[in-house]
Amino acid sequence: MASTSAEIIAFLLVISGWVLVSSTLPTDYWKVSSIDGTVITTATFWANLWKTCVTDSTGVSNCKDFPSMLALDGYIQACRGLMIAAVCLGFFGSVFALVGMKCTKIGGSDQTKAKIACLAGFVFILSGLCAITGCSLYANRITSEFFDPTFIAQKYELGAALFIGWAGASLCIIGGSIFCFSIAENNNTPRMGYAYNRAASVKSTRTKAFSTSADYKTSKDPPKHFDKNAYV
């Protein structure tokens, strides 16, 4: 029962983490910067993996999609690939988790389901590592440009999408680790053996009853002593 509850908690964690990681792809604010005036913010620059935009003080946004994937910086291409891989791995991990959980009716025996659950945990850990690597690579580029005194272009700060991605990746890794430990718990659980006694036939039952009554009668009767005159 405890293992089933742990698997349910792990499933909720990994699904929540996968949803958070998936939500980072369309999120706008991967990096953000603002130009402040005397009273109000005159413009806000922000970008994600697909486009770069600027929003003025009236709330009007002008965006520009990245022109060519081959002309992009290497870190953006790497982040795209890592985040898409994290989302795909999370999808397959969810399918494996549903099959391998003890509370479901598919997947075969308990040992087979434990192995599938362990595989789901490994896939989710790999998904979390891909997501956390992609977000960290993007954040490293932002911080290196921000603290570089020789960098004269527009400097950005960390956006909300990075923190969401880190949180989702952490949940995937934690939930996947719980799934991986489920196979060890299943192997340590003692299994009770049941001996099968085949049904006795009518003949053997009657023979056993007759022999039991005969033994009982023999044990109750007093011993009889015969002298030599009884044979004359």
Side-chain angles (χ1 to χ4, degrees), residues 49-135:
L49 298 177
W50 317 103
K51 60 186 177 181
T52 178
C53 302
V54 58
T55 304
D56 58 17
S57 59
T58 61
V60 178
S61 298
N62 295 318
C63 296
K64 179 183 178 181
D65 294 333
F66 294 135
S68 173
M69 185 182 68
L70 299 178
L72 288 175
D73 294 332
Y75 78 98
I76 295 181
Q77 296 183 17
C79 291
R80 282 183 178 182
L82 289 170
M83 297 305 294
I84 292 174
V87 174
C88 295
L89 288 172
F91 172 77
F92 290 109
S94 302
V95 176
F96 293 147
L98 287 174
V99 175
M101 293 177 65
K102 293 182 179 180
C103 58
T104 58
K105 300 297 183 181
I106 54 178
S109 61
D110 290 343
Q111 293 183 351
T112 304
K113 290 172 74 68
K115 293 179 181 179
I116 297 175
C118 182
L119 177 61
F122 177 76
V123 172
F124 271 114
I125 291 175
L126 188 60
S127 174
L129 291 177
C130 289
I132 203 170
T133 303
C135 294

Side-chain angles (χ1 to χ4, degrees), residues 34-44 57:
S34 61
I35 299 176
D36 297 332
T38 56
V39 179
I40 60 175
T41 301
T42 58
T44 300
S57 59

Side-chain angles (χ1 to χ4, degrees), residues 134-146 158 162 166:
C135 294
S136 299
L137 182 61
Y138 199 92
N140 179 68
R141 182 60 178 262
I142 296 174
T143 54
S144 61
E145 291 178 353
F146 186 85
L158 303 180
L162 296 176
W166 282 325

Side-chain angles (χ1 to χ4, degrees), residues 9-57:
I9 294 174
F11 183 75
L12 294 177
L13 289 176
V14 295
I15 290 298
S16 301
W18 179 55
V19 170
L20 290 177
V21 171
S22 301
S23 66
T24 59
L25 286 175
T27 301
D28 294 330
Y29 296 99
W30 277 67
K31 60 181 180 179
V32 60
S33 179
S34 61
I35 299 176
D36 297 332
T38 56
V39 179
I40 60 175
T41 301
T42 58
T44 300
F45 297 88
W46 50 272
N48 56 15
L49 298 177
W50 317 103
K51 60 186 177 181
T52 178
C53 302
V54 58
T55 304
D56 58 17
S57 59

